[in-house]
Amino acid sequence: DVKVTQSSRYLVKRTGEKVFLECVQDMDHENMFWYRQDPGLGLRLIYFSYDVKMKEKGDIPEGYSVSREKKERFSLILESASTNQTSMYLCASSKTGTGESWATEAFFGQGTRLTVV
Amino acid sequence: DQQVKQNSPSLSVQEGRISILNCDYTNSMFDYFLWYKKYPAEGPTFLISISSIKDKNEDGRFTVFLNKSAKHLSLHIVPSQPGDSAVYFCAASTDLYSGGGADGLTFGKGTHLIIQP
Protein backbone atom coordinates (compact mmCIF):
# COMPACT_ATOMS: atom_id res chain seq x y z
CA ASP A 1 0.00 0.00 0.00
CA VAL A 2 1.13 3.52 -0.76
CA LYS A 3 1.92 5.49 2.31
CA VAL A 4 2.12 9.26 2.43
CA THR A 5 3.08 10.50 5.86
CA GLN A 6 2.82 14.06 7.09
CA SER A 7 4.96 14.88 10.09
CA SER A 8 2.25 16.47 12.23
CA ARG A 9 -1.52 16.10 12.54
CA TYR A 10 -1.96 19.38 14.41
CA LEU A 11 0.23 22.46 14.66
CA VAL A 12 -0.23 25.81 16.37
CA LYS A 13 2.16 28.59 15.37
CA ARG A 14 2.45 32.29 15.99
CA THR A 15 2.10 35.00 13.37
CA GLY A 16 5.45 35.71 11.76
CA GLU A 17 7.00 32.33 12.56
CA LYS A 18 8.67 30.26 9.86
CA VAL A 19 6.80 26.98 9.58
CA PHE A 20 7.92 23.72 8.01
CA LEU A 21 5.46 21.01 7.00
CA GLU A 22 7.12 17.74 6.07
CA CYS A 23 5.81 14.98 3.84
CA VAL A 24 7.33 11.60 3.02
CA GLN A 25 6.10 8.95 0.57
CA ASP A 26 7.35 5.41 0.33
CA MET A 27 6.36 4.37 -3.18
CA ASP A 28 9.09 6.00 -5.26
CA HIS A 29 6.56 8.36 -6.85
CA GLU A 30 7.92 11.02 -9.15
CA ASN A 31 5.26 13.62 -8.42
CA MET A 32 4.44 15.26 -5.12
CA PHE A 33 1.92 17.96 -4.28
CA TRP A 34 0.84 20.30 -1.52
CA TYR A 35 -2.80 21.34 -1.25
CA ARG A 36 -4.78 23.28 1.29
CA GLN A 37 -8.41 22.62 2.08
CA ASP A 38 -10.73 25.35 3.33
CA PRO A 39 -14.48 25.21 3.93
CA GLY A 40 -16.41 26.07 0.80
CA LEU A 41 -13.26 26.23 -1.33
CA GLY A 42 -12.37 22.58 -1.80
CA LEU A 43 -8.74 21.60 -2.32
CA ARG A 44 -6.43 24.14 -3.88
CA LEU A 45 -2.99 23.36 -5.22
CA ILE A 46 -0.14 25.34 -3.65
CA TYR A 47 2.96 23.80 -5.23
CA PHE A 48 3.96 20.59 -6.91
CA SER A 49 7.14 18.83 -7.90
CA TYR A 50 7.69 16.31 -10.67
CA ASP A 51 11.29 15.49 -9.83
CA VAL A 52 14.00 16.05 -7.26
CA LYS A 53 14.90 19.74 -6.96
CA MET A 54 12.12 20.65 -9.39
CA LYS A 55 9.12 22.68 -8.30
CA GLU A 56 6.21 24.38 -9.96
CA LYS A 57 3.70 26.88 -8.64
CA GLY A 58 0.13 25.80 -8.29
CA ASP A 59 -2.91 28.02 -8.02
CA ILE A 60 -2.11 29.74 -4.70
CA PRO A 61 1.67 29.82 -4.15
CA GLU A 62 1.86 33.24 -2.48
CA GLY A 63 3.34 33.10 1.00
CA TYR A 64 4.68 29.58 0.51
CA SER A 65 7.80 27.89 -0.76
CA VAL A 66 8.78 24.25 -1.14
CA SER A 67 11.84 22.06 -1.08
CA ARG A 68 12.47 18.68 -2.64
CA GLU A 69 16.02 17.55 -1.97
CA LYS A 70 15.17 13.84 -2.02
CA LYS A 71 12.63 11.98 -4.12
CA GLU A 72 10.63 10.73 -1.15
CA ARG A 73 10.40 14.03 0.74
CA PHE A 74 8.55 17.24 -0.10
CA SER A 75 8.52 20.12 2.36
CA LEU A 76 6.18 23.07 2.46
CA ILE A 77 7.55 26.23 4.04
CA LEU A 78 5.56 29.19 5.30
CA GLU A 79 8.16 31.92 5.33
CA SER A 80 6.25 34.16 7.75
CA ALA A 81 3.03 32.57 8.95
CA SER A 82 -0.12 34.66 8.87
CA THR A 83 -3.59 34.02 10.25
CA ASN A 84 -5.03 33.55 6.75
CA GLN A 85 -2.79 30.51 6.40
CA THR A 86 -4.76 28.72 9.07
CA SER A 87 -5.98 25.69 7.15
CA MET A 88 -5.83 21.94 6.59
CA TYR A 89 -2.72 21.12 4.55
CA LEU A 90 -2.66 17.96 2.48
CA CYS A 91 0.35 16.36 0.84
CA ALA A 92 -0.07 13.92 -2.05
CA SER A 93 2.09 11.86 -4.37
CA SER A 94 1.55 10.13 -7.68
CA LYS A 95 3.54 8.23 -10.25
CA THR A 96 3.83 9.31 -13.82
CA GLY A 97 1.53 7.14 -15.87
CA THR A 98 2.01 5.40 -19.17
CA GLY A 99 -0.40 4.40 -21.85
CA GLU A 100 -3.68 6.26 -21.81
CA SER A 101 -2.49 9.23 -19.81
CA TRP A 102 0.53 10.55 -18.03
CA ALA A 103 -1.70 11.38 -15.10
CA THR A 104 -2.51 8.83 -12.43
CA GLU A 105 -4.33 8.94 -9.15
CA ALA A 106 -2.72 10.87 -6.33
CA PHE A 107 -2.46 9.38 -2.84
CA PHE A 108 -2.92 11.71 0.08
CA GLY A 109 -1.48 11.95 3.54
CA GLN A 110 -3.68 12.31 6.61
CA GLY A 111 -3.41 16.10 6.62
CA THR A 112 -1.95 18.71 8.97
CA ARG A 113 -4.34 21.07 10.67
CA LEU A 114 -2.35 24.30 11.06
CA THR A 115 -3.59 27.12 13.25
CA VAL A 116 -1.78 30.45 13.15
CA VAL A 117 -2.51 32.69 16.13
CA ASP B 1 -12.57 31.03 -12.49
CA GLN B 2 -13.61 27.59 -11.34
CA GLN B 3 -12.60 24.96 -13.83
CA VAL B 4 -14.21 22.06 -11.98
CA LYS B 5 -17.65 22.64 -10.54
CA GLN B 6 -19.71 20.59 -8.15
CA ASN B 7 -22.92 22.55 -7.95
CA SER B 8 -24.53 20.59 -5.14
CA PRO B 9 -22.90 21.31 -1.78
CA SER B 10 -24.88 18.47 -0.22
CA LEU B 11 -26.99 15.50 -1.19
CA SER B 12 -29.19 13.31 0.99
CA VAL B 13 -30.03 9.75 -0.15
CA GLN B 14 -31.78 6.87 1.51
CA GLU B 15 -29.79 3.77 2.31
CA GLY B 16 -30.06 1.20 -0.47
CA ARG B 17 -30.92 3.74 -3.15
CA ILE B 18 -28.66 5.14 -5.85
CA SER B 19 -26.50 8.19 -5.12
CA ILE B 20 -25.62 10.33 -8.12
CA LEU B 21 -22.96 13.00 -7.71
CA ASN B 22 -22.39 15.41 -10.55
CA CYS B 23 -19.43 17.39 -11.75
CA ASP B 24 -18.94 19.84 -14.63
CA TYR B 25 -15.72 21.17 -16.05
CA THR B 26 -14.79 24.00 -18.35
CA ASN B 27 -11.23 23.22 -19.42
CA SER B 28 -11.37 21.17 -22.61
CA MET B 29 -7.73 20.14 -22.04
CA PHE B 30 -8.64 17.99 -19.06
CA ASP B 31 -8.23 14.37 -20.05
CA TYR B 32 -8.21 12.44 -16.79
CA PHE B 33 -10.89 12.60 -14.12
CA LEU B 34 -11.03 11.23 -10.62
CA TRP B 35 -13.35 10.98 -7.66
CA TYR B 36 -12.12 11.16 -4.08
CA LYS B 37 -13.91 10.54 -0.83
CA LYS B 38 -13.03 12.42 2.32
CA TYR B 39 -13.96 11.94 5.94
CA PRO B 40 -13.44 14.79 8.44
CA ALA B 41 -9.86 15.19 9.71
CA GLU B 42 -8.53 12.67 7.18
CA GLY B 43 -6.86 12.96 3.79
CA PRO B 44 -8.92 12.23 0.66
CA THR B 45 -8.94 8.64 -0.52
CA PHE B 46 -9.04 7.75 -4.18
CA LEU B 47 -12.25 6.09 -5.37
CA ILE B 48 -12.30 5.76 -9.12
CA SER B 49 -10.96 7.43 -12.23
CA ILE B 50 -11.69 7.66 -15.91
CA SER B 51 -9.62 8.61 -18.90
CA SER B 52 -11.09 10.83 -21.59
CA ILE B 53 -10.95 8.02 -24.13
CA LYS B 54 -13.64 6.17 -22.18
CA ASP B 55 -17.19 7.07 -21.27
CA LYS B 56 -17.70 4.66 -18.39
CA ASN B 57 -15.64 2.98 -15.72
CA GLU B 58 -16.98 0.64 -13.08
CA ASP B 59 -15.54 -0.64 -9.82
CA GLY B 60 -17.89 -2.54 -7.57
CA ARG B 61 -20.65 -0.25 -6.36
CA PHE B 62 -19.03 2.78 -7.99
CA THR B 63 -19.45 3.80 -11.62
CA VAL B 64 -18.17 6.97 -13.22
CA PHE B 65 -19.68 8.27 -16.44
CA LEU B 66 -18.01 10.84 -18.67
CA ASN B 67 -19.80 12.95 -21.28
CA LYS B 68 -17.06 14.86 -23.04
CA SER B 69 -19.32 16.84 -25.32
CA ALA B 70 -21.21 18.17 -22.31
CA LYS B 71 -18.05 18.42 -20.19
CA HIS B 72 -19.85 16.53 -17.49
CA LEU B 73 -19.10 13.54 -15.33
CA SER B 74 -21.04 11.76 -12.67
CA LEU B 75 -20.41 9.22 -9.95
CA HIS B 76 -23.06 6.60 -9.26
CA ILE B 77 -23.05 4.63 -6.01
CA VAL B 78 -25.37 1.65 -5.96
CA PRO B 79 -26.58 0.64 -3.44
CA SER B 80 -25.78 3.48 -1.06
CA GLN B 81 -24.54 2.45 2.37
CA PRO B 82 -24.18 4.41 5.64
CA GLY B 83 -20.38 4.28 5.33
CA ASP B 84 -20.67 6.22 2.08
CA SER B 85 -21.56 9.36 4.04
CA ALA B 86 -18.62 11.68 3.35
CA VAL B 87 -17.55 14.60 1.20
CA TYR B 88 -16.90 13.63 -2.41
CA PHE B 89 -14.50 15.60 -4.55
CA CYS B 90 -14.36 15.54 -8.30
CA ALA B 91 -10.89 16.23 -9.74
CA ALA B 92 -9.42 16.64 -13.20
CA SER B 93 -5.99 16.74 -14.74
CA THR B 94 -4.22 17.43 -17.98
CA ASP B 95 -1.07 15.71 -19.05
CA LEU B 96 0.34 18.57 -21.00
CA TYR B 97 3.22 19.23 -18.68
CA SER B 98 6.41 19.03 -20.66
CA GLY B 99 8.02 16.69 -18.17
CA GLY B 100 5.34 14.11 -18.77
CA GLY B 101 4.27 14.05 -15.17
CA ALA B 102 0.93 14.98 -13.69
CA ASP B 103 0.72 18.73 -13.25
CA GLY B 104 -1.56 18.58 -10.29
CA LEU B 105 -5.21 17.88 -9.91
CA THR B 106 -7.84 20.60 -10.06
CA PHE B 107 -10.57 19.88 -7.54
CA GLY B 108 -14.18 20.87 -7.24
CA LYS B 109 -15.47 22.23 -3.96
CA GLY B 110 -16.99 18.93 -2.95
CA THR B 111 -20.44 17.47 -2.31
CA HIS B 112 -21.39 16.28 1.15
CA LEU B 113 -23.25 13.00 0.72
CA ILE B 114 -25.50 11.98 3.59
CA ILE B 115 -26.93 8.46 3.58
CA GLN B 116 -30.07 8.25 5.65
CA PRO B 117 -31.11 4.95 7.27
Side-chain angles (χ1 to χ4, degrees), chain A residues 9-10 31 33 35 37 40-43 45 48 50 56 88 90 94 96 100-106 108-110, chain B residues 31-32 34 36 38 41-44 46 49 51 53-54 89 93-95 97 99-105 107-109:
Chain A
R9 289 298 301 267
Y10 301 95
N31 311 303
F33 311 87
Y35 291 87
Q37 184 196 2
L41 297 177
L43 278 72
L45 181 65
F48 68 98
Y50 60 92
E56 293 293 330
M88 166 75 95
L90 293 157
S94 72
T96 297
E100 291 174 357
S101 172
W102 291 114
T104 63
E105 63 268 26
F108 283 82
Q110 77 277 28
Chain B
D31 70 345
Y32 188 66
L34 309 90
Y36 283 84
K38 187 179 184 301
E42 292 184 13
F46 169 74
S49 63
S51 165
I53 64 172
K54 295 182 177 175
F89 289 99
S93 178
T94 67
D95 67 357
Y97 195 77
D103 56 353
L105 298 172
F107 283 84
K109 293 184 178 181

Side-chain angles (χ1 to χ4, degrees), chain B residues 16-20 60-63 76-81 84:
Chain B
R17 299 272 183 122
I18 183 171
S19 295
I20 300 176
R61 295 187 297 116
F62 303 93
T63 303
H76 292 209
I77 307 173
V78 183
S80 301
Q81 299 174 353
D84 296 331

Side-chain angles (χ1 to χ4, degrees), chain B residues 63-75:
Chain B
T63 303
V64 56
F65 295 91
L66 176 63
N67 182 335
K68 280 183 67 178
S69 60
K71 294 192 179 67
H72 177 84
L73 65 155
S74 60
L75 174 68

Side-chain angles (χ1 to χ4, degrees), chain A residues 26-37:
Chain A
D26 65 358
M27 281 300 291
D28 202 36
H29 284 172
E30 297 87 356
N31 311 303
M32 295 189 75
F33 311 87
W34 275 105
Y35 291 87
R36 63 180 280 179
Q37 184 196 2

Side-chain angles (χ1 to χ4, degrees), chain A residues 38-95:
Chain A
D38 300 288
L41 297 177
L43 278 72
R44 293 180 292 165
L45 181 65
I46 305 171
Y47 266 96
F48 68 98
S49 167
Y50 60 92
D51 202 352
V52 176
K53 297 193 185 293
M54 306 305 290
K55 59 186 178 184
E56 293 293 330
K57 292 179 180 178
D59 299 319
I60 51 164
E62 296 79 17
Y64 303 94
S65 62
V66 290
S67 172
R68 193 163 181 205
E69 296 296 319
K70 294 184 178 181
K71 191 175 185 181
E72 67 271 19
R73 187 180 296 270
F74 193 34
S75 302
L76 179 70
I77 303 152
L78 285 66
E79 297 291 343
S80 176
S82 63
T83 54
N84 62 14
Q85 292 178 309
T86 292
S87 185
M88 166 75 95
Y89 288 88
L90 293 157
C91 174
S93 73
S94 72
K95 63 179 180 179

